[in-house]
Amino acid sequence: MTYLSTIHVDILMCLALLPAIAVAAIKLDRSIPAHRHLISIMVCVFILLVLEACSVALDANFNATIRDNVQLVPLGKLVNSIGFLLVPAPAFLTWTFLHHWTGVRLAAPAILFWTLPLACNAALAILSYNEGLLFSVAPDNTYSRGPWFVISPAIFYGYQTLAVSVLVRQRARLRAEEAALFALALVLPAITAAIQLHYFTFLTIWSSWAISCIILLVTVFINSSERDELTKLANRTAYRNAITKARRMRELKMCVALLDMDGLKAINDRYGHAAGDHALLALAEGLRKTFDERFSVMRFGGDEFAVVQFDNDPAAIYERLCTLENDLAEQDAAFGRPYRVAFSYGLACSRDGECVDALLKRCDTLMYDRKRQKHIKADATAH
């Protein structure tokens, strides 16, 4: 029973991960790349847990009953070859998942370049079946690490480092709790891998990856409910939550800017919805870069955005809105877009004794007044 006691955690994690995979496959939108990558991570970790359990059962170091059973040697080699082939895959998929989640596209040459270590590891894993490079299985079914064993965990840690770098570089696109959960999902297997590297019989890495998969899944479910899929900004649910928070304040202290993108329908009609999406992304990216973590930036409608600050400092928002208008105009000229990315806004801050509904109504009125003035000016210029 020794080997069974060794792999009982793997068995439990398989039982926990299997329904999680089923839930992810049913509930997540597989047309979204980030969701597809998360499901791939979970499936890959499940396979690695099964392979690890099989590897232990086929290793005389853990299961003395199979010692000298030469018929099992090829099976032990096959299981370990497949296992080593997949070792860096969860970290690589997590790296690509984070790119998709933060809305940062990877260029095809970059993907090709960074898959080279994965291909190298796969080649070594296949060659190890006969050459014993990463591992070897002796005729008595005893597993041991090969002379090139260190390459596989080095590639794994390399992809983990890339994933961490995405979190650091794109932290402005993530909420604090979201970034913390993603960081935990990366750190946990990195620590347990180090333990397993030092203590050969202490099998921890894939069970910890199973926990990381569940952390990633929970994070996706939590944040998908408050995140706009196109722009990666907070969505209508987050906007409602901000308003609810404002209603609970004993003394309202809040500034709101409501933005309405100019001419989105015309862009969609004339240049197609792909161009409309690019225009929305340009505005969203501008908002993200212009407003730091002191402000909440949300897309709560098709062409409607909001900036919320729980403070009475209208100048802070106004200056940034002016900067954003200038930046977008410069981008239009620099990129030679056939359409303008522009917006109309209403900015208002709370007054003594004012409720949040009155503040939003005042802000909305200011925004439509500004939009109407733009139309009047445009008509006058045309004539």
Side-chain angles (χ1 to χ4, degrees), residues 285-334:
E285 187 62 24
L287 284 164
R288 186 181 291 110
K289 288 180 178 178
T290 306
F291 291 93
D292 57 33
E293 64 275 2
R294 293 176 295 164
F295 307 88
S296 297
V297 181
M298 293 155 274
R299 181 192 180 202
F300 65 95
D303 57 358
E304 298 171 308
F305 297 80
V307 179
V308 174
Q309 183 188 30
F310 286 99
D311 196 0
N312 275 345
D313 186 10
I317 297 182
Y318 175 73
E319 289 170 4
R320 286 168 172 79
L321 288 172
C322 291
T323 299
L324 178 58
E325 285 182 316
N326 293 332
D327 289 347
L328 290 172
E330 289 175 3
Q331 288 176 22
D332 286 338

Side-chain angles (χ1 to χ4, degrees), residues 45 75 147 165 181 194 231 241 269 272 279 305 311 354 378:
V45 171
L75 182 58
S165 73
L181 286 169
T231 63
N241 290 342
D269 291 344
F305 297 80
D311 196 0
E354 185 177 37

Side-chain angles (χ1 to χ4, degrees), residues 46-84:
F46 179 82
I47 293 171
L48 281 160
L49 282 166
V50 173
L51 289 170
E52 184 173 68
C54 293
S55 176
V56 170
L58 294 167
D59 185 356
N61 289 308
F62 296 96
N63 183 9
T65 62
I66 65 164
R67 192 177 297 278
D68 299 324
N69 187 339
V70 294
Q71 293 179 335
L72 293 176
V73 173
L75 182 58
K77 288 183 176 182
L78 179 63
V79 167
N80 280 285
S81 288
I82 298 172
F84 270 94

Side-chain angles (χ1 to χ4, degrees), residues 216-235:
L216 290 173
L217 182 62
V218 169
T219 307
V220 167
F221 277 138
I222 291 172
N223 289 278
S224 290
S225 66
E226 296 187 6
R227 187 185 184 94
D228 178 58
E229 282 301 331
L230 176 64
T231 63
K232 308 303 178 186
L233 296 176
N235 64 8

Side-chain angles (χ1 to χ4, degrees), residues 223-276:
N223 289 278
S224 290
S225 66
E226 296 187 6
R227 187 185 184 94
D228 178 58
E229 282 301 331
L230 176 64
T231 63
K232 308 303 178 186
L233 296 176
N235 64 8
R236 180 181 287 274
T237 301
Y239 176 70
R240 288 197 191 113
N241 290 342
I243 301 308
T244 300
K245 176 182 175 181
R247 288 197 176 104
R248 291 173 180 165
M249 294 174 72
R250 183 172 299 177
E251 182 180 348
L252 185 64
K253 191 177 182 183
M254 182 183 190
C255 284
V256 179
L258 296 179
L259 288 72
D260 192 272
M261 189 171 180
D262 295 336
L264 178 61
K265 185 178 183 303
I267 295 172
N268 285 330
D269 291 344
R270 187 169 182 182
Y271 302 104
H273 286 276

